[in-house]
Amino acid sequence: LRELRRNKAATERHLQHTLEELVKNTAGEGILQDNFVTQRNGRYVVPVRRDAQRNMPGLVHDVSSTGQTLFIEPTATLSLGNELSTISAEEREEVRRILAQLSEGVRANRDAMRQNSDILEDLDAAAAVAKWAGDYSCVLPSFGGFLQLSNARHPLLSSQFRREGQGRKVVPLDLQLPPGTTTLAITGSNTGGKTVTLVRGF
């Protein structure tokens, strides 16, 4: 593939240089509509005035919207254009062959790759949790016979206030229920304290 692409680049440079020389040599003769080289349908062409077509033999690959310009591949560069097309086709086939070989390798190892994907998902989730915990000073709860919340904060409110950057801070909540308590009434305005109590405590 490397060799094909090296040959393709060299052929393309040679073709462009040949056409640029042709454009330079015919400039001022009233044959070309503009003095540049362009591409149509994957072939290198020059813009030729319709009324001067007989002075630039070659293949017409396109016509301008006004119909006054023909995009012609000159006969002098047809062989180079064909060579470039051939190399491009060989390049596409080589890429297809390589991709097919790689795909076959994936199929032969799909079980291991699926296992690796599952492991990476777990690692990614763990890394995200760890980053969040570090950014917002979070800790894992421990479970016992009573409920105690210390410095509990609503995580989404903390994230929102940090993004807004207006100096707002979440007021932490401390709550302790003695053993045997079966009921807790939570009331108050909508500022997030009730939610964090429910989320963290129940």
Side-chain angles (χ1 to χ4, degrees):
L1 181 59
R2 180 188 299 140
E3 184 63 25
L4 283 170
R5 288 180 170 169
R6 185 182 294 118
N7 290 341
K8 179 182 177 181
T11 303
E12 199 165 21
R13 285 194 300 270
H14 185 194
L15 176 57
Q16 288 177 331
H17 176 73
T18 303
L19 283 172
E20 287 166 0
E21 286 296 312
L22 185 149
V23 167
K24 184 189 301 182
N25 293 333
T26 56
E29 295 182 10
I31 299 174
L32 301 179
Q33 192 71 268
D34 290 291
N35 296 326
F36 63 81
V37 177
T38 185
Q39 279 187 300
R40 289 294 187 276
N41 302 320
R43 306 284 290 203
Y44 282 93
V45 297
V46 292
V48 178
R49 293 173 53 182
R50 177 179 285 275
D51 58 5
Q53 179 181 1
R54 65 183 181 279
N55 297 319
M56 183 64 71
L59 293 179
V60 178
H61 288 283
D62 200 3
V63 181
S64 68
S65 58
T66 63
Q68 299 305 307
T69 303
L70 305 178
F71 294 94
I72 294 179
E73 182 179 13
T75 302
T77 61
L78 278 176
S79 60
L80 278 174
N82 291 338
E83 183 180 350
L84 181 60
S85 295
T86 299
I87 296 174
S88 296
E90 292 174 351
E91 177 193 22
R92 288 192 299 271
E93 178 58 25
E94 182 64 8
V95 168
R96 188 207 64 77
R97 187 193 67 78
I98 291 171
L99 291 177
Q101 183 178 347
L102 291 173
S103 297
E104 182 58 35
V106 170
R107 280 191 292 272
N109 295 278
R110 60 182 178 273
D111 292 337
M113 295 188 71
R114 187 177 294 114
Q115 183 180 13
N116 284 345
S117 177
D118 293 341
I119 293 172
L120 288 173
E121 287 177 8
D122 292 341
L123 290 174
D124 188 48
V129 169
K131 185 178 187 308
W132 182 279
D135 289 346
Y136 293 93
S137 303
C138 301
V139 295
L140 289 173
S142 57
F143 296 91
F146 64 95
L147 173 66
Q148 179 178 347
L149 303 178
S150 300
N151 198 32
R153 291 154 291 124
H154 194 303
L156 297 182
L157 277 180
S158 296
S159 176
Q160 176 185 336
F161 291 169
R162 182 177 294 186
R163 286 197 314 271
E164 292 174 351
Q166 299 177 1
R168 300 174 66 188
K169 300 226 181 256
V170 176
V171 178
L173 172 72
D174 293 320
L175 173 68
Q176 181 172 348
L177 295 182
T181 302
T182 58
T183 304
L184 172 65
I186 304 176
T187 64
S189 58
N190 294 328
T191 57
K194 300 188 302 303
T195 303
V196 73
T197 304
L198 289 169
V199 170
R200 296 299 182 93
F202 302 93

